[in-house]
Amino acid sequence: MICPVSQALMTPPELPAAGAFAALPVGLRDLLPSACRRRRAITDALLDVFDRWGYAPVSTPGIEYFDIFGRGLHESERGACVRFIEARTGEVVTLRSDVTPQVARLAATRLGRRLDAGEALRLCYTADVVRVPEGRSERCEHHQVGVELLGDPSPAADAELLALCHAALSAVGLPALRIDLAHVGLAHAVLDAAGVDDDTRALVRRALARKDGGAVAQALRDAEAPARLIAALVELCELYGPPAVLDRGEAR
């Protein structure tokens, strides 16, 4: 015998028609079971590699105070943060748009003694991040799985991260793998020598990211930068390729 209460609990709820739901905000999407299973399998495979390499898991909150979180971001990245006022305190908070600034905060506030003692920290994480999309085709919610190696500035640490990257991506079965390397120190050094203002610097950085030599040159000409420095920064837009490009860059 089934009592009326139990029978009510066993009766599937009547779902509203699909048209009753509004579309999702720009940049968001649902994941169906098959996609969720694939993402979980990839995430588990990556975390397994990180664990074997000695990277310990950490977890950070989805919301941070913006004035603290934003210190680890460039101006363009701060503009991509979803911000709002916390009702209880009136403080400006943000949904996390990246995990690296959070790990830096965590290390400084909770693990600083270990770093001061000369210990290298190997940390890994998995988290969802949210950024304001630039266009309708860009996603605003991303699932990140990553690592941070803190307290070891040696070339060996860079080599370790590259080897770990190769091992992790191979573990998820990518059929072809190429790792591109870059160093923003080159562009920063030339921009420092040019002595341009912050607005021009921001324009040049965005143009360099697009490898748009014409926009780089125009921004620097408008700022009356020296011709030789303009030429050097424009050349950075073409300074990519196989390892031989390092010799070209060093000579320049």
Side-chain angles (χ1 to χ4, degrees):
M1 179 177 179
I2 300 176
C3 71
V5 173
S6 299
Q7 189 172 15
L9 291 174
M10 294 173 62
T11 303
E14 183 178 349
L15 295 177
F21 296 102
L24 289 170
V26 172
L28 297 176
R29 64 175 181 171
D30 295 315
L31 292 182
L32 297 179
S34 60
C36 285
R37 292 189 182 100
R38 283 199 307 272
R39 187 168 80 171
R40 185 173 64 186
I42 292 172
T43 298
D44 289 346
L46 292 172
L47 292 176
D48 183 59
V49 173
F50 300 159
D51 181 65
R52 294 200 306 270
W53 282 61
Y55 284 74
V58 293
S59 179
T60 56
I63 298 175
E64 291 263 0
Y65 286 116
F66 179 71
D67 63 338
I68 297 174
F69 181 80
R71 295 174 189 173
L73 302 176
H74 294 296
E75 184 59 39
S76 59
E77 295 169 329
R78 288 194 288 271
C81 290
V82 178
R83 286 168 274 183
F84 54 96
I85 303 297
E86 187 182 38
R88 183 173 55 85
T89 65
E91 297 282 350
V92 178
V93 295
T94 180
L95 300 178
R96 67 177 166 215
S97 60
D98 195 6
V99 181
T100 296
Q102 294 187 302
V103 173
R105 173 193 52 73
L106 183 150
T109 58
R110 306 290 297 277
L111 303 171
R113 291 184 178 179
R114 293 170 60 180
L115 288 171
D116 292 340
E119 180 182 353
L121 299 178
R122 290 171 171 80
L123 307 173
C124 66
Y125 59 84
T126 174
D128 291 319
V129 301
V130 178
R131 301 173 187 142
V132 176
E134 293 185 2
R136 299 192 64 86
S137 61
E138 183 180 345
R139 291 176 55 193
C140 73
E141 189 175 39
H142 305 265
H143 187 66
Q144 285 191 349
V145 183
V147 301
E148 303 290 345
L149 175 50
L150 308 174
D152 185 352
S154 71
D158 292 334
E160 176 182 323
L161 289 172
L162 290 172
L164 174 58
C165 179
H166 184 273
L169 295 178
S170 298
V172 300
L174 289 183
L177 179 60
R178 185 185 75 182
I179 299 174
D180 291 343
L181 304 180
H183 199 309
V184 297
L186 292 172
H188 286 171
V190 182
L191 283 168
D192 289 343
V196 296
D197 58 64
D198 290 342
D199 290 341
T200 300
R201 195 181 185 100
L203 287 173
V204 172
R205 285 184 62 254
R206 289 195 292 270
L208 284 172
R210 301 191 306 270
K211 294 183 173 59
D212 187 344
V216 169
Q218 186 60 54
L220 291 171
R221 281 196 296 266
D222 291 344
E224 300 181 349
R228 64 184 182 85
L229 293 176
I230 295 176
L233 280 161
V234 169
E235 187 168 344
L236 284 179
C237 295
E238 304 296 329
L239 205 60
Y240 60 89
V245 78
L246 297 175
D247 295 331
R248 286 174 49 205
E250 184 175 15
R252 181 58 175 165

